[in-house]
Amino acid sequence: MVALVLPRLVSFEGSARRSASVAERNAAALRSAYWLVLISGFVEPLVYLLSIGVGVGALVGDLTLPSGAVVDYAAFVAPAMLASAAMSGALSETTFNFFGKMKYMRLYEGMLATPVKPFEIALGELAWAMARGSLYSAAFLVVMVALDLTTAGRALVAFPAAVLVGFAFGSLGMALSTFMRSWQDFDLMGSVQFALFLFSGTFVPAESYHPALRWLVEVTPLYRAVDLIRGISIGAEEVLGGLIDVGYLLLVTVAGLLIAGRRMTTLLCK
């Protein structure tokens, strides 16, 4: 038994080490101007929170959820902004940056001259994207606690949920990027991302939509992310609903990674 298990453990350790080296390469390549990009990714959802959540919230007042719970409108919107920040941070790294490295810089072709495999490159890039997404999530949760939109205890629980959201969108973005032919193809992705931001229960409960539209909203990944983080942040999460959200996001993560790894093998190992 040991003779069978030990080689697999060694192989897994080597694969993890090679994936980590891909993420370390991205950290070593950082430039000072890159921090401006990081800051802008955090500021955008914060502006939405202050303008719509707090500003419009002053006119809306309290919001009664379908479960009967009454919450402040800003507290309702804030978890959706957190989910959107995790999504944006992960997609920024695994779409434009990933596509540029693969298509134009030919960076991954050089990596494949080493023992690194396509799936390990995808895993390393996803890990790096999550470092960026986790930074957004942590900073945004601090703001939520400072504005009394959630408690510190709930923020600690919401953080790993936000990390999972980043993993899901990071792997999804990477998989989609392998099908892109040029920069113009990303225009469609940007439109889809903005539509998800507006119609994923971000500013109103999904129950407010027409039944014909509601089912479509509830099967989108951002809605599952918003539903999970909102339930944790305001303390209204149902166990079954939370498990469905987590299972959905895990499925998206695994499927995205597998597709990205296979597509990179096809594109880079011709």
Side-chain angles (χ1 to χ4, degrees), residues 154-167:
R154 290 173 181 168
L156 290 175
V157 179
F159 179 71
V163 172
L164 175 59
V165 172
F167 267 116

Side-chain angles (χ1 to χ4, degrees), residues 30-50:
L30 278 179
R31 296 292 184 268
S32 58
Y34 187 81
W35 294 104
L36 296 176
V37 178
L38 291 179
I39 294 173
S40 66
F42 165 72
V43 169
E44 181 180 354
L46 180 60
V47 169
Y48 275 112
L49 173 62
L50 296 177

Side-chain angles (χ1 to χ4, degrees), residues 25-132:
R25 179 264 164 205
N26 287 327
L30 278 179
R31 296 292 184 268
S32 58
Y34 187 81
W35 294 104
L36 296 176
V37 178
L38 291 179
I39 294 173
S40 66
F42 165 72
V43 169
E44 181 180 354
L46 180 60
V47 169
Y48 275 112
L49 173 62
L50 296 177
S51 61
I52 298 178
V54 178
V56 177
L59 302 175
V60 175
D62 293 336
L63 184 67
T64 302
L65 302 180
S67 62
V70 179
V71 298
D72 181 73
Y73 186 69
F76 175 82
V77 171
M81 296 298 100
L82 173 58
S84 297
M87 174 187 71
S88 299
L91 286 179
S92 295
E93 285 293 340
T94 58
T95 52
F96 297 102
N97 293 350
F98 175 79
F99 182 77
K101 294 173 187 175
M102 180 176 64
K103 184 78 172 179
Y104 295 100
M105 295 175 63
R106 304 287 184 180
L107 179 65
Y108 302 136
E109 293 181 10
M111 289 185 180
L112 290 177
T114 71
V116 179
K117 300 178 178 63
F119 181 79
E120 294 165 350
I121 294 175
L123 194 59
E125 289 292 348
L126 181 59
W128 172 246
M130 278 319 306
R132 176 173 175 173

Side-chain angles (χ1 to χ4, degrees), residues 200-247:
S200 294
T202 311
F203 303 109
V204 296
E207 289 78 7
S208 302
Y209 296 121
H210 189 277
L213 180 61
R214 178 183 169 184
W215 73 268
L216 180 61
V217 168
E218 292 185 347
V219 298
T220 61
L222 184 57
Y223 173 80
R224 305 317 319 183
V226 170
D227 187 62
L228 175 63
I229 297 177
R230 179 175 287 149
I232 296 172
S233 299
I234 65 178
E237 182 67 276
E238 298 179 358
V239 176
L240 179 59
L243 291 175
I244 292 174
D245 294 335
V246 170

Side-chain angles (χ1 to χ4, degrees), residues 122-162:
L123 194 59
E125 289 292 348
L126 181 59
W128 172 246
M130 278 319 306
R132 176 173 175 173
S134 298
L135 182 64
Y136 289 166
S137 300
F140 201 87
L141 282 168
V142 170
V143 173
M144 287 177 61
V145 173
L147 295 177
D148 199 26
L149 300 177
T150 190
T151 64
R154 290 173 181 168
L156 290 175
V157 179
F159 179 71

